[in-house]
Amino acid sequence: MNFNYSYEKKKFEQEWAKLEKEYGQAGMSDKDIQEMKNFDYDCFKLNRNTVLHTYDLQFCNDFDDNGNDDFGNIDLSKVEYITVKEQEKVETHSRFWWIEELDSNELIQKVKTLSYQELDLLDLHIFSDLTLKEISKLRGIPYRTIKRKFEKIKKLLK
């Protein structure tokens, strides 16, 4: 599935420009309006994630009248196409793609304050599933320094 972020974000902003006027005229406070907008933006991001990570695999839904699947008719070129497309997407993502996919705007802002080195350590620990000792050896940084950095990151993200 495709998601044109620029187009969808523009539509979101246009819709919210209208809603802000309506809500303001109805007597809502600016704080309440902003909370609603933040909630809708979180929903927007979740929808984007769903669209980006959902694939239509209709070629696997070939069932006969008795409900039996007929996998003999699968066009393998489609499977290869899906694999290639997925690889292309991964290559175009930044290494820290996961930051924008976090559920909370507050958490996203906190994570964005981390240095590149801190993001690298967090990424290695969470996504590469490396222990602090393994990260220490990999990066050539003393274990105690790594541990201290993670304590700082934990404290910041609480």
Side-chain angles (χ1 to χ4, degrees):
M1 297 181 123
N2 293 328
F3 188 88
N4 184 335
Y5 181 80
S6 299
Y7 174 74
E8 295 296 332
K9 177 76 171 170
K10 183 179 177 183
K11 273 186 6 184
F12 176 83
E13 293 298 336
Q14 288 174 343
E15 180 181 340
W16 259 97
K18 292 176 189 174
L19 288 173
E20 283 175 321
K21 287 179 186 175
E22 287 180 29
Y23 292 154
Q25 290 172 350
M28 285 182 73
S29 70
D30 289 341
K31 181 183 175 195
D32 291 339
I33 293 171
Q34 188 60 45
E35 283 182 31
M36 289 182 68
K37 185 176 182 179
N38 290 342
F39 177 80
D40 279 358
Y41 185 65
D42 289 341
C43 291
F44 171 82
K45 291 189 307 184
L46 288 172
N47 182 46
R48 186 188 102 215
N49 291 340
T50 301
V51 170
L52 289 175
H53 299 291
T54 303
Y55 296 96
D56 188 14
L57 299 177
Q58 291 178 355
F59 63 90
C60 287
N61 294 330
D62 295 330
F63 294 95
D64 63 16
D65 293 336
N66 297 325
N68 298 320
D69 55 1
D70 183 12
F71 290 110
N73 291 333
I74 294 177
D75 182 359
L76 294 179
S77 65
K78 291 181 182 178
V79 176
E80 182 179 332
Y81 171 75
I82 290 171
T83 304
V84 170
K85 287 302 263 186
E86 183 62 26
Q87 288 171 352
E88 288 172 6
K89 284 183 184 181
V90 171
E91 291 171 4
T92 60
H93 275 299
S94 80
R95 178 167 173 219
F96 305 118
W97 58 267
W98 49 269
I99 295 173
E100 294 300 324
E101 300 203 9
L102 296 172
D103 292 335
S104 161
N105 282 336
E106 182 181 343
L107 184 58
I108 290 171
Q109 294 308 316
K110 287 179 180 180
V111 170
K112 284 184 174 182
T113 64
L114 297 174
S115 70
Y116 182 84
Q117 185 183 32
E118 291 166 336
L119 286 172
D120 176 55
L121 297 176
L122 194 58
D123 188 71
L124 288 171
H125 187 57
I126 294 171
F127 291 100
S128 298
D129 203 26
L130 296 177
T131 65
L132 298 184
K133 286 185 180 183
E134 291 169 333
I135 294 171
S136 170
K137 288 178 185 175
L138 180 69
R139 292 294 182 240
I141 300 172
Y143 171 77
R144 293 180 73 187
T145 304
I146 298 287
K147 187 173 179 178
R148 216 177 5 218
K149 287 191 179 288
F150 269 99
E151 288 170 1
K152 177 188 167 197
I153 293 169
K154 275 186 190 178
K155 187 176 179 180
L156 176 72
L157 297 180
K158 282 188 179 180

